Amino acid sequence: MSLISVEDALSRVLANVEQPVGIERIPLAACAGRTLAEDVSALRDQPPFPASAMDGYAVRSADCSTIPAVLRVIGESAAGNRFTGTVGAMEAVRIFTGAPVPDGADAVVLQEDTERAGDQVTVKEAARPNRHIRAAGLDFRLGDVLLQAGLRLDSRHIALAAAMGHGALSVHRKPCVAVLATGDELVRAGEPVGPDQITASSLPATILMVEKAGAEAIDLGIARDTLESLDERIRAAKDAGADILVTLGGASVGEHDLVQKALSRHGMDLGFWRVALRPGKPLMHGRLGSTLLLGLPGNPVSSLVCAVLFLVPAIRALLGDQKAAEDPTEDAILGADLPANGDRQDYMRAALTFQDVPLSLAHGAERLMLPVAMPHLLQDSSMLSILERSDALLVRPPHAPPAAAGEPCRIIRLGRFC
């Protein structure tokens, strides 16, 4: 099977997401990090009444057009305890921030612009209509759709939903992603390491990426290089009802790379194998019944790069995110000269600094801070120490010509995913 492009591979992966996962309604306090399944509209106006934006006095602006103006104080309006009367000619109501503006008043004068003596207040600054008053519905109106389906909820969205009058929201359930490392050479982090073994570093990292993307991870552990061991873990993924099964390693062409053979025994429909990217060429995709399959490379940097490019978008598609296929790259400036690229799309590990550059706008020149991507000299796909010191992946298309420092480039920020 020939190499396919990154774009083609991602398109095929997302095309295999038949529909988003199911919906559940949960309390607002539990919604952080979840993905909205339905649009959310306001159940009320906000604010629901004209409200004072400052501490002071509610007045009729016509009474305060000539200053000083001496008014009679007839009551008080506080947040949660409104004044129920009406402000008449040459009258005022003491008012506090957030309190309803009483009927008859059309302005608020600041406390510091007045002098109080008993039930009289002297206004020393002219009042203008609607001054220091938040109109009813200033923020939003009843029925306004303010949160859209597919949105990943954070504290800002939770605050808005609460203000809109919602105590619970309909969200997609968390997709179930089973993660399986493979290889006789692997041991779990913290366990004794034999003379021919290494730690399975990709396993905990992939699990964290799955959870950060909004899914629930199932740790299937490490399968040995036998069909029996792989069969056992594949059955466990099936029994758990995994929406995605992610394997780490074992999908290449060596005699000990048994993942494809094991999955085929369980009825795998292979979509593609091998993608024109670096690092991460031996990437496998397919289906196992209703379960999406992603076989990531064994080298830790390769597996994490492929998780950024394919696993995270697949999770987002399962969550109903309409932007799952959106290009994750952004503009940057190249920090070093680079030679021509080969026939695979390259994702170079790079550190970021920031440089202000002139930006010509219609109203004049301004300065814009742009990231400068400095690729590391060593790009071996086994080197986690280099990945740890990287802020971004510097993306170079296939057959890109030589590039000089200072030229524009495209990057993917790792902090969004890892």
Side-chain angles (χ1 to χ4, degrees):
M1 186 176 291
S2 61
L3 299 182
I4 64 173
S5 70
V6 172
E7 292 75 15
D8 188 14
L10 178 59
S11 177
R12 294 193 199 186
V13 169
L14 297 184
N16 267 270
V17 178
E18 296 174 352
Q19 59 185 7
V21 292
I23 298 172
E24 57 186 359
R25 191 163 182 83
I26 61 175
L28 198 62
C31 285
R34 304 297 293 272
T35 301
L36 269 182
E38 300 172 352
D39 291 348
V40 180
S41 58
L43 301 180
R44 57 179 295 168
D45 293 347
Q46 179 70 3
F49 44 74
S52 178
M54 306 291 287
D55 292 344
Y57 291 86
V59 301
R60 302 190 328 160
S61 59
D63 294 336
C64 302
S65 58
T66 302
I67 55 170
V70 180
L71 309 177
R72 184 167 66 92
V73 180
I74 60 172
E76 180 178 289
S77 185
N81 189 14
R82 73 169 60 222
F83 176 77
T84 57
T86 300
V87 177
M90 304 306 292
E91 293 180 336
V93 167
R94 180 76 166 104
I95 196 165
F96 300 93
T97 302
V101 176
D103 292 341
D106 66 348
V108 171
V109 292
L110 302 182
Q111 178 176 311
E112 52 265 38
D113 293 334
T114 65
E115 286 186 3
R116 177 81 178 265
D119 65 351
Q120 288 190 330
V121 61
T122 299
V123 177
K124 299 183 291 182
E125 292 287 338
R128 301 198 306 270
N130 303 313
R131 181 66 169 165
H132 303 306
I133 293 177
R134 298 180 180 127
L138 174 66
D139 197 358
F140 51 80
R141 293 282 188 180
L142 172 70
D144 286 350
V145 176
L146 302 175
L147 300 172
Q148 283 76 38
L151 181 67
R152 180 87 177 272
L153 296 167
D154 62 22
S155 57
R156 300 167 301 162
H157 309 126
I158 301 301
L160 179 57
M164 292 161 68
H166 293 274
L169 296 174
S170 295
V171 299
H172 287 288
R173 69 167 176 84
K174 290 186 176 184
C176 178
V177 180
V179 184
L180 172 63
T182 67
D184 286 341
E185 76 281 12
L186 299 179
V187 298
R188 281 188 177 275
E191 293 183 353
V193 181
D196 300 321
Q197 293 182 309
I198 58 173
T199 300
S201 55
S202 298
L203 181 59
T206 304
I207 286 172
L208 287 174
M209 290 182 69
V210 164
E211 293 173 345
K212 185 168 183 176
E216 179 182 355
I218 299 176
D219 183 353
L220 293 180
I222 302 170
R224 297 304 160 200
D225 288 328
T226 67
L227 290 174
E228 292 75 20
S229 181
L230 286 164
D231 285 343
E232 178 186 354
R233 301 305 203 285
I234 294 168
R235 283 194 296 270
K238 285 180 170 180
D239 293 343
D243 298 292
I244 304 176
L245 170 59
V246 179
T247 60
L248 304 173
S252 193
V253 295
E255 293 181 4
H256 298 282
D257 295 319
L258 302 175
V259 171
Q260 281 198 48
K261 185 175 182 179
L263 289 168
S264 296
R265 284 160 46 122
H266 287 263
M268 175 183 68
D269 179 15
L270 180 64
F272 63 78
W273 173 60
R274 301 201 311 164
V275 179
L277 79 156
R278 182 191 304 109
K281 180 175 71 172
L283 177 79
M284 181 182 65
H285 161 64
R287 290 201 69 87
L288 192 62
S290 61
T291 302
L292 188 70
L293 297 174
L294 278 176
L296 307 187
N299 274 326
V301 176
S302 301
S303 65
L304 294 180
V305 169
C306 288
V308 167
L309 298 177
F310 303 104
L311 175 56
V312 172
I315 292 172
R316 290 177 175 168
L318 282 169
L319 286 167
D321 186 347
Q322 301 300 313
K323 298 180 179 180
E326 191 174 69
D327 181 7
T329 65
E330 61 181 271
D331 290 326
I333 299 171
L334 187 58
D337 296 345
L338 290 176
N341 192 25
D343 58 359
R344 288 190 279 164
Q345 185 146 301
D346 205 351
Y347 293 85
M348 304 179 72
R349 278 67 73 203
L352 296 183
T353 56
F354 290 86
Q355 173 181 321
D356 64 327
V357 297
L359 180 67
S360 295
L361 301 174
H363 58 275
E366 292 189 358
R367 308 295 290 184
L368 175 68
M369 296 296 290
L370 278 180
V372 178
M374 178 63 72
H376 293 287
L377 292 176
L378 297 175
Q379 293 287 328
D380 190 282
S381 61
S382 68
M383 299 185 67
L384 285 170
S385 62
I386 299 297
L387 182 67
E388 188 278 331
R389 298 200 300 272
S390 300
D391 307 298
L393 300 174
L394 170 59
V395 184
R396 302 207 71 212
H399 308 293
E407 291 185 9
C409 62
R410 302 289 289 177
I411 61 170
I412 299 174
R413 295 198 194 226
L414 289 170
R416 295 171 53 194
F417 304 93
C418 302

